Amino acid sequence: MSTVKQWGRSSRLLSAAVATALVPLVVAGPVGFTSGENVRPGGGWSGLWLSADSTASSGTSLQDVRTIVGADVGAAANLTGAGVGVALIDTGVAGVPGVPAAQIVNGPDLSFESQSASLRYLDTYGHGTHMAGIIVGNDTATGAKGLAPKAKLTSLKLGTANGAVDVTQVIAAIDWVVAHRNDDPANRIRVLNLSYGSGGNPNFWSDPLSFAVQRAWKAGIVVVAAAGNDGNSSVRLANPASDLYTIGVAATSTKGTLSTADDELSTFSNLATSEKMPDLLAPGQSIASLRVPGSNIDNSYPGARVGATLFRGSGTSQAAAVTSAAVALLLQAKPTLTPDQVKDVLRQGTYMRIGIAAERGIREINVNAALGLTPTTLAQTFMLSDASGSLDSARGGSRVVTNGVALSGQNTIYGPFDTAAWSKASADGTSWRGGSWMGNRIAGDGWTGSSFASRTWADASWSGAPWGGSATSWVDPSWSGRSWSGRSWSAGTWTGRSWSSEDWATASWN
């Protein structure tokens, strides 16, 4: 019989004292963003694409990752993630040959590119497809297969070709996942992958983004979030990995070996010196996953290509995707586990032997070991957010901009945001009604037809004009002329977009 153990209650007074001493974290932003102080190119999608992080020209294969995390031995060897739904909130998924259409569902496209029929649902950046490859990919050309190849992946596209996204779009996407987690009874959504960090570090007890992820967690969804790529000296994890009701994942360098004895925390990973440290570690350096030919990162970092179909990337994005796949395997074997229990057994992974992670006691995931554990923790009792905080605190220096005007204040990209009304509706499960979120029509009303995926949520035209004025339409003329051939994007660069931001930190591709 499991022993009940509570994970403690955080003191608002203590946390407030700590928070006042913190240096604000600004997550790196994509090329073409508007500036915030100390912002590095890269974005809020928490990955990097740096040649210095590569251990070999071919990178670390997904088969090697499977071995390193103990997913190919013992009871874990026969697990595929079958029957488990994984929601991927990212930059969309492109229908490259290595993406198994039968395992992909397109949730609503909430990105600015949703207003362009030729770009809708599809990954113009290249980041989301890379994450999908780690989770469910099946590239017959190379044999690269995702760690949970039979999981059902629901893609919600938020980021554009330059990564632009506002935190309110992320909040709306999380709300949608919670509302629709049981749409497919055979593949209920149990895992949410957020390879994303907002630009700010708000107080967790009032942050609206924290409120959204906590609601997902309480609804039975394991929220896996990237810790961020600001380096080991960072004082906090990226938001929302900093929230206690997530699994915040940092990346390890595997040193090009299958042994975990030489693994250590990657130098680019956030390692909080205050408040919450990463919950666990997973391989995230030089991971070879699916490439999107002609995408932004493919054009920008041709040195990251591995043959014709794969691409090397490093970052806590990749580590988060590895962890989401591991969670799917665990839930296939033990479907009654709660998010708290999943977190508990995964934290009891492989001891690190060297480096700062070993000193801090942060372990690397081991799926087979987790299968043999009895969870001792049944309920976390940390303080919950009341969602009363400002959106700008979550945004920090990371803003979407159109016509030279940055989105700010209590506003979504669609208009004013009543935080109190939203938090009540979100808690009640009524923030989404069909394709409308908080009264704003941003998607269609249900499942209809299909694109390259097994099924797709309907699209909709956004009414009104962008907040920057002058424009009469959401459709960016610089998007015209782009087309997807079924294997690649048409030639040309992805620069010159009207939308810019500092969000969706990418991984290092080179």
Side-chain angles (χ1 to χ4, degrees):
M1 183 175 179
S2 299
T3 302
V4 178
K5 180 176 69 176
Q6 293 184 334
W7 286 15
R9 294 185 180 276
S10 296
S11 163
R12 182 187 296 258
L13 181 61
L14 175 61
S15 296
V18 172
T20 57
L22 296 177
V23 178
L25 168 69
V26 178
V27 181
V31 177
F33 57 77
T34 56
S35 65
E37 188 176 358
N38 299 324
V39 174
R40 300 193 308 272
W45 304 101
S46 299
L48 305 166
W49 317 98
L50 307 176
S51 56
D53 291 326
S54 300
T55 55
S57 60
S58 59
T60 301
S61 72
L62 295 180
Q63 177 57 53
D64 286 352
V65 172
R66 186 176 290 107
T67 299
I68 292 164
V69 301
D72 65 351
V73 294
N78 295 321
L79 297 175
T80 62
V84 179
V86 179
L88 178 68
I89 294 178
D90 214 284
T91 62
V93 178
V96 296
V99 171
Q103 302 309 123
I104 302 293
V105 171
N106 281 322
D109 184 340
L110 306 182
S111 74
F112 297 115
E113 290 178 349
S114 68
Q115 301 306 285
S116 173
S118 62
L119 307 179
R120 192 176 296 133
Y121 307 112
L122 299 174
D123 185 9
T124 55
Y125 199 165
H127 187 279
T129 307
H130 202 262
M131 302 303 109
I134 292 171
I135 300 170
V136 298
N138 186 11
D139 183 38
T140 56
T142 62
K145 183 174 289 189
L147 275 68
K150 292 302 180 180
K152 182 74 77 169
L153 189 143
T154 299
S155 168
L156 282 85
K157 178 178 175 178
L158 269 69
T160 65
N162 70 351
V165 68
D166 184 61
V167 69
T168 56
Q169 291 165 279
V170 181
I171 290 170
I174 297 171
D175 272 0
W176 188 92
V177 170
V178 175
H180 293 274
R181 66 191 185 279
N182 297 324
D183 281 10
D184 181 355
N187 299 278
R188 299 181 193 277
I189 295 176
R190 300 290 309 279
V191 190
L192 171 56
N193 188 91
L194 276 172
S195 293
Y196 165 83
S198 75
N201 270 315
N203 296 325
F204 69 85
W205 59 81
S206 60
D207 177 34
L209 180 56
S210 287
F211 183 94
V213 298
Q214 289 168 6
R215 181 169 173 262
W217 189 272
K218 294 295 185 179
I221 300 171
V222 180
V223 181
V224 180
N229 303 317
D230 292 283
N232 295 173
S233 61
S234 58
V235 295
R236 294 184 72 178
L237 304 186
N239 182 31
S242 56
D243 191 273
L244 296 163
Y245 290 92
T246 68
I247 295 179
V249 185
T252 58
S253 170
T254 64
K255 307 295 181 64
T257 72
L258 296 180
S259 170
T260 58
D262 59 354
D263 291 2
E264 61 180 326
L265 181 72
S266 296
T267 57
F268 56 75
S269 283
N270 284 30
L271 180 67
T273 56
S274 300
E275 299 190 351
K276 177 187 173 183
M277 292 193 299
D279 291 300
L280 49 82
L281 308 172
Q285 199 153 317
S286 196
I287 307 298
S289 184
L290 297 179
R291 170 193 172 207
V292 182
S295 64
N296 190 337
I297 58 174
D298 185 60
N299 289 349
S300 301
Y301 304 100
R305 297 170 186 165
V306 179
T309 58
L310 302 181
F311 210 68
R312 286 180 292 123
S314 301
T316 56
S317 274
Q318 283 74 9
V322 170
T323 302
S324 290
V327 172
L329 299 181
L330 186 58
L331 288 173
Q332 178 191 1
K334 297 188 174 185
T336 62
L337 290 181
T338 67
D340 289 342
Q341 291 173 323
V342 169
K343 184 175 182 177
D344 180 49
V345 296
L346 285 181
R347 283 168 53 119
Q348 301 179 57
T350 302
Y351 282 101
M352 303 296 286
R353 300 187 183 183
I354 58 175
I356 191 169
E359 297 171 8
R360 301 285 181 88
I362 310 169
R363 305 187 194 184
E364 191 167 23
I365 58 173
N366 186 304
V367 178
N368 195 52
L371 289 170
L373 295 173
T374 299
T376 58
T377 300
L378 296 183
Q380 295 186 112
T381 58
F382 297 112
M383 179 180 292
L384 297 172
S385 171
D386 64 9
S388 63
S390 73
L391 293 174
D392 280 346
S393 292
R395 292 177 179 123
S398 184
R399 311 296 173 94
V400 288
V401 176
T402 183
N403 296 321
V405 178
L407 180 61
S408 63
Q410 294 301 97
N411 294 292
T412 71
I413 65 174
Y414 318 104
F417 185 66
D418 185 332
T419 308
W422 163 73
S423 59
K424 184 180 186 304
S426 181
D428 293 343
T430 59
S431 63
W432 277 92
R433 294 184 182 276
S436 295
W437 179 67
M438 296 306 296
N440 297 294
R441 167 66 65 182
I442 56 178
D445 283 332
W447 300 103
T448 177
S450 66
S451 56
F452 75 94
S454 58
R455 61 176 181 165
T456 293
W457 189 266
D459 59 271
S461 296
W462 296 350
S463 61
W467 65 90
S470 74
T472 58
S473 169
W474 286 99
V475 178
D476 185 335
S478 64
W479 292 333
S480 62
R482 277 291 179 280
S483 61
W484 177 253
S485 69
R487 288 183 176 269
S488 65
W489 285 106
S490 57
T493 64
W494 291 98
T495 59
R497 324 214 78 52
S498 292
W499 311 109
S500 59
S501 80
E502 295 162 16
D503 274 357
W504 289 124
T506 57
S508 302
W509 320 88
N510 213 342

